[in-house]
Amino acid sequence: MSKVNPVILSDIVTISDDETISENEYSELMDEQDANEDAEQIAFFTKYLSVSEVIHSAFPIEYPKTSPQGIATVFNVTGWANPMACFNDIQYSNNGAGGSISIQNCPYFGVPVKKDVRKCQGIKHCSFADPDFINEQHNEVDMESEMFIKLNQHQHNKKTKTYTFFLAAKSTACKYKSNNQLCDGQAKLRRIIKNGGEEYIIGCDKWVRGEKWHRYIKVPGEIDLELLRDIFQGRVIDENNNENQCCTIVSRASRISLCEFPHIQDGQVMRGTIIERKCNVQFIKFIPYDLAACPYIALVCIGTHNHPPPPPERTPVGIKDELQAMIQNIIASDDSVTSRSIIAGDFL
């Protein structure tokens, strides 16, 4: 069994007597709770913070359950080399502004704890987001639900592939140089006649015979040439409302500013902008100072998320550990195994 590493809580700046329940107050609270066996069970974490639902887990959780009244998830970190790993799998971004205090006697654990308060940082989504989808609220996540399956799903028909190809070709710079200056020519659809046949490319509108290294992108066979020609000629494209209802959600930490998928606005093909949507769900962590004596950590989530769940971007610790163990076992059992053979999938 791994030894529990000490937890360094150097950012504590205040000691909160106000949130600490004295021994007498704690006894009174418990007496009141025990007086009525039919009453709803209440778990107190501070004098003013209590929840009626406590979930126990021996593993990290990707999408901790929440509610307007608050739900606590208590992690058993006995033997964990890194007890703080219980928070590593959480897919919600929660590293924004917050604060920490010390509670001298947490009524739930009965020991001194660090209380750390953070907020859900929300999500980032495309400006063409489907309103019904982006305004979907949730307190828990069902990975088999229609909402979760819909995350980042898009049509991939011939029309959308043509839009995507046009935007990619248009944004590609021409590599031709003259007097050490890059060509600033724009993308242009061209037809090439050769060997009795023809093919289409995206070339440069400043190309002249005899010059080499101008933009040259072959048009794939899966592209709708008539539609591509209409787009390059600036003709108005019919707007399909279903194509414009985007389900793109990106990481809160992502720096991309434009949606990767095409949309139609005012008859022109374009990419949507990535905008932020904030959330006020609170994540409150209760971490005992002495995890060897009290090997439990609590996460209390309060509020309702006002957005769809963010798509998974963190690989769960359990999957990482299983993969690492699998690789180690393969290498130990066969000296001829190389990193290339593992990546190639011969042993997985």
Side-chain angles (χ1 to χ4, degrees), residues 296-317:
Y296 300 94
I297 294 176
L299 174 67
V300 177
C301 301
I302 304 175
T304 295
H305 294 284
N306 63 352
H307 54 80
E313 62 173 3
R314 297 180 178 88
T315 303
V317 174

Side-chain angles (χ1 to χ4, degrees), residues 164-294:
T164 302
F165 176 76
F166 166 75
L167 291 172
K170 185 180 178 182
S171 63
T172 302
C174 181
K175 295 183 179 180
Y176 177 75
K177 281 187 177 183
S178 177
N179 297 324
N180 209 32
Q181 294 292 321
L182 279 173
C183 174
D184 60 357
Q186 301 300 307
K188 182 176 182 178
L189 180 63
R190 293 183 180 275
R191 184 178 65 167
I192 298 178
I193 306 295
K194 63 178 184 180
N195 300 327
E198 64 179 21
E199 68 177 29
Y200 286 84
I201 68 162
I202 306 300
C204 176
D205 64 354
K206 290 190 175 181
W207 172 81
V208 295
R209 293 186 184 279
E211 292 182 344
K212 296 182 178 181
W213 311 115
H214 278 277
R215 180 190 288 105
Y216 188 100
I217 305 171
K218 288 186 177 181
V219 177
E222 60 188 9
I223 299 303
D224 185 332
L225 277 173
E226 291 300 320
L227 177 59
L228 187 62
R229 183 180 291 110
D230 288 344
I231 299 173
F232 269 104
Q233 291 178 353
R235 295 176 183 171
V236 175
I237 306 300
D238 291 336
E239 185 173 328
N240 184 319
N241 192 47
N242 290 332
E243 292 173 353
N244 268 359
Q245 292 184 342
C246 189
C247 296
T248 294
I249 293 180
V250 298
S251 164
R252 183 62 177 73
S254 173
R255 295 184 179 182
I256 67 171
S257 59
L258 296 175
C259 179
E260 296 181 358
F261 297 90
H263 301 286
I264 307 297
Q265 187 174 57
D266 298 329
Q268 301 299 312
V269 182
M270 62 178 56
R271 287 190 171 96
T273 56
I274 298 298
I275 57 179
E276 296 183 7
R277 185 178 183 86
K278 295 184 178 180
C279 179
N280 289 319
V281 168
Q282 283 189 312
F283 296 102
I284 307 176
K285 304 172 184 178
F286 292 90
I287 308 167
Y289 283 99
D290 189 349
L291 284 170
C294 181

